[in-house]
Structures are given as structure tokens and as C-alpha cells.
Amino acid sequence: MLRIYSLLYFLLTTLSICHAEKGANKDLSFYEYTEKSLLWAPYRSNCYLGVRPRNIDQSPLVVGLMWFDSSVNDGLNRLRHFVDQNDGVKQYTWEVYDPRLGGKEVIIDEENNLNLTLYFVKSQDGENWSIRVHGVPIDTSRKHTASVVLYLSQNGENDGESQLIRLGNGNDIEFVGHSKEMGKYNIKLFDNYGKYAEAANFENLDNPEIYEGLDCSKTAHVSLHVPDEETWKARDIFQSILSDSATSAAQALQGEVNPDFLPSLLTVRNIFQFQPGNFHFIQKTFDMSNPEGFEFDVVYNAAKSPNKLRKSNRVTNLITSTLNEIQARFNRHFDLKGQDEEHRVFALQTLSNLLGGIGYFHGTQIVDRVTEFNDETFEPTTFSHAKEESPLSLFTSVPSRGFFPRGFYWDEGFQLLQIMEYDFDLAFEIITSWFDLIEDDSGWVAREVILGAEARSRVPEEFTVQSPNVANPPTLLMTFSEMLSRAIDYQNSVNFNQDKESNDNQEKTLREDTNQLEQNSKLLVKYAKRIYPKLLKHYEWFTTSQKGLTEDYVEVFEEEGILSKVHLDHVYRWLGRTVTHCLPSGLDDYPRAQPPDAAELNVDTLAWVGVMTRSMKQIAHVLGAEDDEKRYLKIEKDIIQNLDNIHWSDKDKCYCDVTLDDYEDERQFVCHEGYISLLPFALKLIPKDSIHLDSIIELMSNEEKLFTDYGLVSLSKQDEYHGKGENYWRGPIWVNINYICLDALRFYYPEVITNDSKGNSKAMKLYNELKNNLIDNIFENWQETGYVYENYNQNDGRGSGAKQFTGWTALVVNMLGRM
Ligand SMILES: *[C@@H]1O[C@H](CO)[C@@H](O)[C@H](O)[C@H]1NC(C)=O
Ligand SMILES: *[C@@H]1O[C@H](CO)[C@@H](O)[C@H](O)[C@H]1NC(C)=O
Ligand SMILES: CC(=O)N[C@H]1CO[C@H](CO)[C@@H](O)[C@@H]1O
């Protein structure tokens, strides 16, 4: 009877949520859906769990979770907060995650003997949300505690309107809050189960008042005022309050600290008589001798919400439906039918970790607009005129939560190639946020976007300064171009096959549809209009700042008899290389001309400008700006010709950098076979009937040069610099370039997809082997260690560089499910 009842109850509650969903979303326009579904998420992705709203800059509610084992003396040293790949946490992985919906993160922290499962789920309209914290011991024989600290900060200084106040007593506690921008809300914490650690008995000691407030047997709470710009220092603040409090108590104990006292001594209390403020620490200390561990929920409800998330069974239902929905969305976008279960888990997890890195950043940026590069000595530049500038915002994914938790212009384009396959509109939203950063007057955007003190705290100081002279490969335009091609193709097919009416209705479709910008030309045009002026500026900035020095080439090309064939307006170089490194190229230590010369022309810079030009042409097309479209078409053609006439070396049979020989005034090819030589192909610039295609396939297939069992190496095994020096881009296998090579193979040789026996057999063999080698190696590393890596060793395939690098390495999901 009881069973039937609970089944009925389950059906009823599920039904009512489904019903609410239909009702609530019928009228949601595309814009509303975007704003609401992306409002709340763990956007402080540099924390193990850190929640904040998007686009709320003045008075965001900022939430974070920390934990440690308070039963040991030095437990506080292992207080976890920011993801750090060196802090000994064995695993931290979003098994299932989508920023629009929520997800499940699993953390295996062996040093603290804690196996944590964290859920973040949202109501259907995205306005209210819940965090569930579930912890069990890893080693059940070890007696210890799990002390979990949640902090809440209602930011918004000095306006008096943004507040967060605690109501009531007990372990289940409630807050009411007010954000100037978001209005009223309340937050409740309630325990589902778990046994609090036993309180120390201080009663029989001298001066028991010294120990007042030190009680681990119930939820501890301290409220204080913390300035907005210090909120991110929650861990430091907690540690210092706690160590002061514990030290004063321990002194009274005169060194006789009974280990049973520790959990109480390490419980937060208000020893400094802080006035209550908008910042709150809530600490719960559980006795982990019970293998069932503990579980509690944190529930946020917007006050206007008529239908509040309250009961834990609602949260449970929401968790179930959220995880199922993400799985279903994933299955709709990726075809993994041919894969075994472990590969499917790997793919969903890897995509989830990429999405779990998506963050919203707001704050100041440090810029040096004065210092110029030295084009004589090519010594590294010191940026000594750095200034903190006014705040900016960015919505972006990150290369690695533990190591690179900020926006990277060069990584982002690749990350979006993956995200767009899952959620086209989300990728568009991110790309738009980046384009919004393009400065109106200069057209510049920083190559690392490090906004605010929290983001800066994760960057070595010498790298925090950005300079408007430094460019980086405009990968965002590569992805933008891909997105526009899709949208244009889609529209062509629709205009051809369908009447227009269905298009008009599309602005009001159901929330499952995350490809609206691809399929609704009106929406796309609206977005494109907004972005176009910025892109024009950016294009001008890039092509002006990175323009090659051409005077000396006029005579040289004249002599060679090719002057009439080359377009000297369209040759480029990376400004700011040093003798050993060319950081702007993204391929840091990849070998370049020696000695460096201001007259050097870089083939990859030219190829990237080709990609930018192609996107400008496409966006002009979308907007119906015919003159602009024609102009960009002409430039694109000139660039493609320059690739062949200036950068193709017949002798070496590959694309190369070019420099001038100082003595003989001749063009010199600087050929180092590797990723740079492949770029004109990988970026789909060279014509489909190019006579050079065979040589490129040959180079990629050659096991003495680029081909290995693990993927294409960055620099040929025969190159004199292979594996030398820092060995960063001089051999290791990088997934980003491998991925675009695979994609280009599909573009130039459609037969690789169909295995058409009449096709180019070399290309088909290369495609299949390369794809399988990459997948197998990345997968095997993951199986062994639980991580995907920044790059992979060229000799044994082992992951190296940053761990949990679910930035562009996540492109393996496309390889598995889209190729
Ligand atoms: C962590 O706990 C979950 C259940 O909460 C369990 O399924 C998983 O096996 C545990 N993992 C480890 C490494 O203990
Ligand atoms: C094409 O052939 C290769 C090698 O025989 C094979 O691995 C691959 O799965 C085939 N692809 C398709 C789409 O049949
Ligand atoms: C603002 C608002 O109404 N929020 C929602 C809170 O969550 C419940 C449960 O999913 C929804 O029904 C509400 O609409």
C-alpha cells in the first residue's frame, strides 16, 4: 500500500512539473529563454562549487562551498575551495552537466577521506535553484569528520538595498535576502540525514567561557561584513577566523588538546564580535564513522516564485528529471550508438566538464597601452606601464578549471567548435560576449581575459598585463565562420523546401530547441547586426597591427618575376616574437626564422587573416551588405593566392614562413614541417582543386614526420628542433590542430565519410587511422587517470601539461559522436 502510494505521489509530482514546464514555456521568447535558462549556474568555475548569476554585476549573490577534515590537527591546511590540480584532490568531475539545466559533480578527496557528490539543479524557469551536498567516507574504517562550509555573500556595497539576513535557529536555517538588481529571495538549508560530530565537553575545564560557541554538534553560523572585492577570499577569511579562535582556546588548554576536542575547536564562531553583515559562513561538521555519511540541501527561491522548491523530495525529483533531460539532449546531438558504455560515459563526462568550465566574469583588467615591442633585439618585453582599467564582463568557457580558469581568446574558438554541436545558441551567446569585448575605438580584444581580483589571483603576475599590440589566432572567427556556414546552408535548404511561415513561428518554440540561431534567419540577422560593427573594428585592428613590412620585398619579388602575382597589401607577421618564442601565434616555441627579422612573414598569420576575411564575407552576406561581401571576397582570393605565391615552397613541398636574407636580399623559406605548414589546409583555405593537396596528405601520413599512433605531432620528427628546448609545440600532440585537420579531411575528401571505393584511398586511410588513434589514446589516458590532458607525448602518448584540460581536448567528443 505504501509503495503504491509513493508511486502515485511520484507520478503526480512529476506530472505537475511537466505541466508547469509546458505552461511556463509556451510564451518564452528566445531572448527570455536565453536569459532565464542561463541566469544561475556554478559560473565561478574556478571553485569546486561556486554559484553566481550571469549578467548581474552590481549586486550578485555569491555562493561557495568548502570542506575539510576537522578531526585532525592540520586539517585546516586541506580546506578545499578553488580547484587546484596540485592540491591532491584525486577527482573532480562533472559527470553530467548543462549550464541551462544543472548537473552532478563528483569529488574524490582521498586526503580528507571524503567522497562528495554535488548536485546543482534549477526550476524549469531557471529562477530558483538548489544545491544538494551528499558525502560519504571513502575509507569507512577511518574515524574522522567532514566539516562542510557554505558561504553566502549578497554583494552590493553601500547601497543599503542589498541584504542577507538570517532567520530562526537550529540546524535547518533560513535567510531572506534582497539584491538591488534581482529583488527578494530566500535561501533555506535543511539536512536530509547525517550525524553531527560530538561536541567537546569543556564544562569541567577552567574558564569554560573561553570555549563558548565552540560546538560542532550543530550547524555553526557567523555573519560579518566583507567588502565585495574581498568576497572571493572566503577561504582566507574563514581560515584566519578559525585559527584565531582555535589558537585562543588551545592556549587556555595549555597544550593539552584532547583529539576529541578538535572538531569543536575547529568550528567557526564570532570571536571578534563582528557586526552581522551580508556575508555568512555556515559550517556543518558530520561524524563520518557512519558509512551512510550525510546529505543536506540548499534551496534558493526567488520571492516572486509562486511555486517554491521546498521539500527535499521535490529536489530529488528535480535531480532525476534534470539528469535524464541532459542525457536525452546529449543523445539527440551525438551519435554514440556504435560505442560501448565506457566510451559513452567518457564522452558525456568530457563534454560536461567542458560545459562545467563555463564561467561568468566581471571586473577590472590590467592593460599596458604604452609599451612597444623591440623589433631590433627581440628581447622579451617588460610591461612597465600597466594600469587597472574599468570593469568588463565576459561569459566564456575555460581551458582548464584547475589551471587556466579564465577566458583565452585562442582556446575559445576551439572550445566552441565542441559546444556548438551540443547547444548552438549557447555557443553563439558566448561568442557574442567575446565580440562585445572588442573595443569601440581600437578594435582590440585581449588574448587572456583576466577580469577582477578573483581571476587575477590564479595568474602569475607577469602574465596579468595585456597589451593592445599583442594578437592571437582569431579562432573565434573560425568558429563563427563555421556557424554562419551552417546557418546559411540551413536557410538555403529551408527556403528551397519549405514555405516561410514555419520560420516566423520559430521564435516561440519549446525549450528543447537550442539551435534557434541556426534555424531562424530573423534571429540570426538580429544578432549579426549587433556584432558587425565590432567585427569590422576588430578586423581593422588585426590586419593593421599584424601587417608585414613589405617595402623590401618589392625588389625581391620583381627580381623573381612574381611581383604582379602577389598582393603586398595582404601579408602578415606576428608582432612581438622573441628570439625563442612567438607567444602571439599560440604555438609559443614552434621554430621560426633565425635570426628573427622584422621583415619576416608568417604563413599562419596570413592563414588566420584568411579565416577572418571569410567570416566577414559571410556576415556581410547574412546582412545583405553586397558591396562589403564583394570586397571581402576579393581580399579572400588575394590571400589564397598569396599563400601559394609567397608561402609555398616547391622545394620543400609545404607552406612555410618567409624571411629576407640580409646579405643577398633574397626571399628565404623558413620551413619547419608541422602544424604551421598544415594550417592553410586545416583552415580550409586552399582551393578544393589545389595541386598541393597530395603533398599535404603525404606529409600528414608520413610516419617519419608527423604521423604517430597517438595523433599528428606538432613538429616533424625530422626537424632539427623536434623535442628540443621547452618542447611545448615542438613535438607533443595537441588535439585542437588534430581536430581541424580531421575536419578539413572531411571537407576536401567527402569520401572519408562514406568510404567510397572510388575516393582517394590515402586520404581515407589517413582519416580513419588518425581519428581512431586520437580517440583511443585520449580515452586510454582517461581510463587510467580520470583526466584528459593539455597535450600528449609524441613518443608514448601519455598525457602531459595541465590535467583536466577539458578545453579543446574535449573535441574528442565530436570525434566520437559527430564524425
Ligand atoms: C562515492 O560514492 C558514490 C555514492 O555516493 C559511490 O557510488 C561511488 O562508488 C563512491 N566512490 C568512491 C571512489 O568511493
Ligand atoms: C571506413 O573504413 C575504415 C577502415 O576500414 C573503418 O575503420 C571505418 O569505420 C569505415 N567507415 C565507415 C563510415 O564505414
Ligand atoms: C519564479 C518561479 O516561479 N520559479 C519556479 C520555482 O520552481 C518551481 C518548481 O519547479 C516552479 O514551478 C516555479 O515556477
Side-chain angles (χ1 to χ4, degrees):
M1 188 62 205
L2 191 67
R3 282 186 94 98
I4 291 173
Y5 174 75
S6 50
L7 181 67
L8 251 178
Y9 180 78
F10 176 77
L11 281 174
L12 283 173
T13 44
T14 321
L15 278 176
S16 77
I17 288 179
C18 293
H19 182 75
E21 175 184 342
K22 291 250 163 57
N25 290 293
K26 214 174 359 181
D27 301 326
L28 274 190
S29 75
F30 171 75
Y31 297 102
E32 267 180 285
Y33 178 55
T34 303
E35 287 306 317
K36 287 198 171 181
S37 64
L38 294 173
L39 176 63
W40 285 106
Y43 286 138
R44 299 173 65 215
S45 62
N46 62 321
C47 299
Y48 286 109
L49 190 75
V51 176
R52 66 156 295 157
R54 191 177 81 116
N55 293 343
I56 303 292
D57 297 332
Q58 302 317 315
S59 55
L61 168 70
V62 177
V63 182
L65 190 78
M66 310 191 279
W67 67 88
F68 69 112
D69 175 357
S70 61
S71 67
V72 290
N73 248 326
D74 61 344
L76 207 49
N77 295 339
R78 287 177 296 279
L79 174 64
R80 312 299 190 195
H81 180 221
F82 287 159
V83 179
D84 179 343
Q85 65 169 18
N86 299 318
D87 73 2
V89 172
K90 185 163 173 243
Q91 193 193 326
Y92 51 97
T93 195
W94 283 104
E95 289 187 349
V96 186
Y97 178 75
D98 175 331
R100 293 192 197 264
L101 303 166
K104 172 185 178 193
E105 184 181 27
V106 172
I107 293 167
I108 304 295
D109 183 353
E110 287 180 339
E111 288 181 346
N112 284 319
N113 197 23
L114 187 58
N115 169 351
L116 266 183
T117 307
L118 306 173
Y119 300 92
F120 179 83
V121 289
K122 301 194 256 186
S123 62
Q124 308 294 347
D125 59 7
E127 291 217 16
N128 35 39
W129 51 262
S130 175
I131 294 169
R132 170 163 291 178
V133 182
H134 168 89
V136 291
I138 298 170
D139 174 357
T140 47
S141 66
R142 224 172 95 186
K143 189 173 170 338
H144 76 297
T145 63
S147 201
V148 184
V149 183
L150 181 85
Y151 62 89
L152 307 170
S153 178
Q154 176 51 64
N155 286 13
E157 271 180 87
N158 300 330
D159 56 25
E161 285 184 53
S162 295
Q163 299 179 341
L164 188 59
I165 299 165
R166 181 184 170 176
L167 302 177
N169 290 307
N171 291 330
D172 293 349
I173 62 182
E174 182 170 0
F175 295 88
V176 291
H178 188 262
S179 148
K180 194 176 180 183
E181 288 155 290
M182 299 186 70
K184 269 192 163 159
Y185 59 90
N186 70 59
I187 298 177
K188 279 191 183 160
L189 276 85
F190 46 84
D191 293 348
N192 297 330
Y193 54 84
K195 179 169 168 266
Y196 281 80
E198 209 164 302
N201 185 357
F202 297 115
E203 273 165 29
N204 301 328
L205 302 175
D206 298 340
N207 307 323
E209 68 280 0
I210 294 179
Y211 312 99
E212 205 182 322
L214 290 177
D215 183 356
C216 61
S217 69
K218 58 182 197 211
T219 301
H221 168 248
V222 167
S223 170
L224 62 158
H225 175 76
V226 174
D228 287 2
E229 66 277 5
E230 310 280 322
T231 305
W232 64 276
K233 292 184 183 159
R235 181 180 190 271
D236 299 341
I237 298 170
F238 183 80
Q239 257 179 338
S240 88
I241 296 179
L242 210 56
S243 46
D244 283 351
S245 158
T247 309
S248 71
Q251 268 163 3
L253 291 169
Q254 292 171 337
E256 308 262 319
V257 181
N258 177 339
D260 289 344
F261 286 2
L262 281 171
S264 283
L265 291 178
L266 293 174
T267 299
V268 72
R269 60 172 169 165
N270 190 356
I271 61 161
F272 298 120
Q273 266 75 56
F274 300 116
Q275 291 300 307
N278 292 350
F279 188 101
H280 300 261
F281 283 120
I282 301 124
Q283 182 181 9
K284 289 173 182 285
T285 301
F286 297 101
D287 174 354
M288 296 301 277
S289 53
N290 174 3
E292 297 218 315
F294 63 90
E295 184 178 284
F296 65 90
D297 290 344
V298 182
V299 175
Y300 169 101
N301 277 292
K304 58 181 189 265
S305 164
N307 203 348
K308 290 181 180 165
L309 280 173
R310 206 190 312 266
K311 296 275 158 21
S312 95
N313 51 16
R314 284 210 78 146
V315 176
T316 305
N317 289 346
L318 203 50
I319 288 172
T320 311
S321 63
T322 300
L323 300 186
N324 287 342
E325 183 162 354
I326 298 171
Q327 180 74 60
R329 281 190 190 195
F330 182 81
N331 293 343
R332 276 203 297 278
H333 290 274
F334 301 99
D335 177 11
L336 292 163
K337 282 189 225 63
Q339 303 291 339
D340 62 26
E341 181 57 23
E342 210 180 352
H343 278 82
R344 287 201 289 266
V345 169
F346 164 63
L348 177 57
Q349 225 181 73
T350 303
L351 179 77
S352 295
N353 280 318
L354 168 64
L355 298 172
I358 291 177
Y360 178 74
F361 298 85
H362 176 80
T364 57
Q365 171 169 250
I366 313 280
V367 184
D368 180 341
R369 293 181 188 267
V370 178
T371 305
E372 308 231 338
F373 291 112
N374 189 333
D375 255 2
E376 304 275 317
T377 65
F378 293 94
E379 288 300 319
T381 307
T382 319
F383 291 109
S384 47
H385 295 87
K387 285 213 170 80
E388 186 170 352
E389 300 193 340
S390 46
L392 299 169
S393 302
L394 178 66
F395 182 50
T396 185
S397 58
V398 303
S400 156
R401 289 170 64 200
F403 204 72
F404 299 112
R406 55 192 170 275
F408 282 80
Y409 179 89
W410 137 249
D411 293 65
E412 192 58 24
F414 292 106
Q415 289 155 199
L416 290 176
L417 281 180
Q418 181 60 58
I419 294 175
M420 69 180 266
E421 300 293 359
Y422 175 71
D423 187 331
F424 193 90
D425 298 342
L426 173 63
F428 219 102
E429 190 67 17
I430 292 176
I431 225 168
T432 310
S433 179
W434 273 92
F435 290 156
D436 281 343
L437 284 184
I438 295 168
E439 293 187 340
D440 285 330
D441 39 2
S442 70
W444 168 69
V445 51
R447 102 194 151 101
E448 279 190 40
V449 181
I450 313 165
L451 302 180
E454 177 164 2
R456 275 197 290 281
S457 75
R458 307 295 302 272
V459 190
E461 205 177 328
E462 68 265 32
F463 297 119
T464 55
V465 183
Q466 302 299 305
S467 157
N469 293 319
V470 180
N472 229 196
T475 59
L476 290 167
L477 287 127
M478 160 187 78
T479 307
F480 190 52
S481 166
E482 183 66 38
M483 297 180 87
L484 289 176
S485 303
R486 295 266 180 104
I488 293 167
D489 286 353
Y490 182 90
Q491 253 111 62
N492 289 343
S493 71
V494 172
N495 290 345
F496 211 72
N497 297 321
Q498 278 178 16
D499 52 315
K500 284 201 110 170
E501 245 171 72
S502 65
N503 246 353
D504 293 339
N505 288 330
Q506 274 175 3
E507 198 153 341
K508 285 185 184 172
T509 48
L510 282 177
R511 57 204 294 269
E512 280 81 44
D513 190 356
T514 51
N515 287 43
Q516 299 205 46
L517 285 162
E518 182 182 4
Q519 295 166 8
N520 182 335
S521 57
K522 275 190 193 164
L523 275 178
L524 186 72
V525 169
K526 261 191 227 169
Y527 261 68
K529 266 200 187 127
R530 172 168 152 211
I531 291 169
Y532 194 51
K534 291 267 191 188
L535 283 185
L536 278 172
K537 285 278 178 201
H538 191 46
Y539 185 78
E540 271 166 32
W541 167 75
F542 197 100
T543 52
T544 310
S545 64
Q546 311 300 304
K547 194 173 270 316
L549 301 182
T550 52
E551 300 103 68
D552 297 343
Y553 284 95
V554 176
E555 217 171 297
V556 171
F557 288 148
E558 178 116 63
E559 199 118 306
E560 288 190 45
I562 57 167
L563 188 60
S564 62
K565 289 204 286 182
V566 300
H567 308 277
L568 285 178
D569 284 349
H570 304 299
V571 292
Y572 298 95
R573 59 149 179 168
W574 297 111
L575 187 65
R577 69 161 281 193
T578 63
V579 177
T580 55
H581 282 69
C582 181
L583 296 180
S585 71
L587 310 174
D588 304 16
D589 61 342
Y590 194 97
R592 302 282 179 168
Q594 289 301 349
D597 190 313
E600 177 178 341
L601 300 178
N602 300 123
V603 62
D604 48 333
T605 332
L606 178 63
W608 284 113
V609 173
V611 168
M612 283 185 112
T613 311
R614 184 172 65 207
S615 323
M616 295 308 291
K617 178 192 73 180
Q618 287 165 314
I619 191 167
H621 173 84
V622 167
L623 292 173
E626 280 174 31
D627 290 348
D628 284 11
E629 188 181 349
K630 277 194 203 127
R631 190 159 58 89
Y632 290 116
L633 181 64
K634 167 79 171 73
I635 300 174
E636 188 187 10
K637 280 191 178 146
D638 291 353
I639 287 174
I640 290 168
Q641 285 173 3
N642 277 350
L643 283 170
D644 280 0
N645 293 330
I646 299 178
H647 289 283
W648 177 264
S649 161
D650 266 333
K651 175 172 149 284
D652 303 280
K653 300 224 168 317
C654 77
Y655 292 102
C656 309
D657 282 352
V658 162
T659 190
L660 283 179
D661 182 314
D662 270 351
Y663 306 104
E664 298 161 54
D665 262 355
E666 278 184 347
R667 171 169 59 150
Q668 274 208 333
F669 287 107
V670 182
C671 292
H672 295 284
E673 289 168 319
Y675 289 171
I676 283 174
S677 351
L678 301 179
L679 274 179
F681 163 82
L683 295 172
K684 306 177 189 167
L685 285 168
I686 58 181
K688 283 194 168 165
D689 58 359
S690 168
I691 51 166
H692 303 321
L693 279 172
D694 284 344
S695 313
I696 293 167
I697 298 298
E698 174 56 37
L699 173 60
M700 289 193 284
S701 308
N702 190 334
E703 298 193 13
E704 321 261 89
K705 292 183 170 177
L706 302 189
F707 191 90
T708 71
D709 288 347
Y710 319 109
L712 301 175
V713 298
S714 35
L715 184 64
S716 167
K717 297 176 198 172
Q718 291 178 353
D719 193 277
E720 57 177 309
Y721 293 101
H722 179 86
K724 297 275 166 62
E726 189 193 339
N727 189 27
Y728 198 41
W729 292 87
R730 292 184 176 185
I733 293 154
W734 294 78
V735 176
N736 59 339
I737 305 291
N738 273 280
Y739 177 80
I740 55 176
C741 286
L742 283 177
D743 190 42
L745 281 167
R746 291 159 65 94
F747 175 77
Y748 289 105
Y749 303 95
E751 62 266 34
V752 304
I753 304 163
T754 54
N755 272 356
D756 183 344
S757 59
K758 290 194 280 308
N760 180 322
S761 60
K762 235 180 151 163
M764 291 196 286
K765 181 168 181 296
L766 172 63
Y767 177 81
N768 284 304
E769 289 184 0
L770 178 58
K771 189 177 109 177
N772 292 335
N773 288 350
L774 285 160
I775 292 174
D776 291 349
N777 187 53
I778 301 169
F779 175 75
E780 280 161 25
N781 270 279
W782 173 82
Q783 234 180 354
E784 209 172 294
T785 66
Y787 293 108
V788 303
Y789 287 82
E790 184 177 4
N791 54 51
Y792 293 85
N793 184 280
Q794 65 269 35
N795 302 316
D796 57 17
R798 275 186 182 278
S800 54
K803 289 196 281 192
Q804 190 74 301
F805 191 93
T806 33
W808 60 44
T809 305
L811 283 165
V812 68
V813 181
N814 275 350
M815 293 180 205
L816 275 164
R818 298 288 295 199
M819 283 185 154

